[in-house]
Amino acid sequence: MAALSSWRGGTNDDAQVVDSVDVGLEGGELSIAFNPTYPVDALNLLNTASVQFHFTNATKPAVLRGAGCDDPALRYLLMPIRLTG
C-alpha cells in the first residue's frame, strides 16, 4: 500500500524540520519518535536505494535495514523516545 509518511525533527518546539517520503505501509497507523541523530546516522551508512523500518508499537525498539539486505551487521536497532502531550 503506498502512503505518504511525515517526518518531524528538531531539538525543541522552536526548531522543526518536516520531510515527507513515499512509503509502502503494512499494518495500522503508528506515532513514534526517535532522536533524529540515530536514524540519520543509520541512513547515511546504508548503501541501498531504499530501506525498511520494522515496528511493533510506539514503545518498542524499531529495526532499520537496507531493503533486500540480509546482512545482520547492517541492521540498526532504534530506541524510541517518549512523546509528550
Side-chain angles (χ1 to χ4, degrees), residues 1-68:
M1 169 184 196
L4 190 65
S5 175
S6 267
W7 295 78
R8 298 180 186 274
T11 58
N12 58 38
D13 290 338
D14 297 326
Q16 282 199 358
V17 174
V18 177
D19 193 8
S20 297
V21 295
D22 290 321
V23 299
L25 178 64
E26 294 177 15
E29 186 175 314
L30 177 68
S31 291
I32 191 167
F34 300 101
N35 177 323
T37 301
Y38 301 121
V40 169
D41 286 348
L43 290 169
N44 285 330
L45 292 172
L46 289 170
N47 191 21
T48 60
S50 61
V51 296
Q52 296 174 330
F53 278 95
H54 296 269
F55 305 97
T56 55
N57 66 47
T59 61
K60 301 287 184 188
V63 175
L64 171 63
R65 67 184 189 146

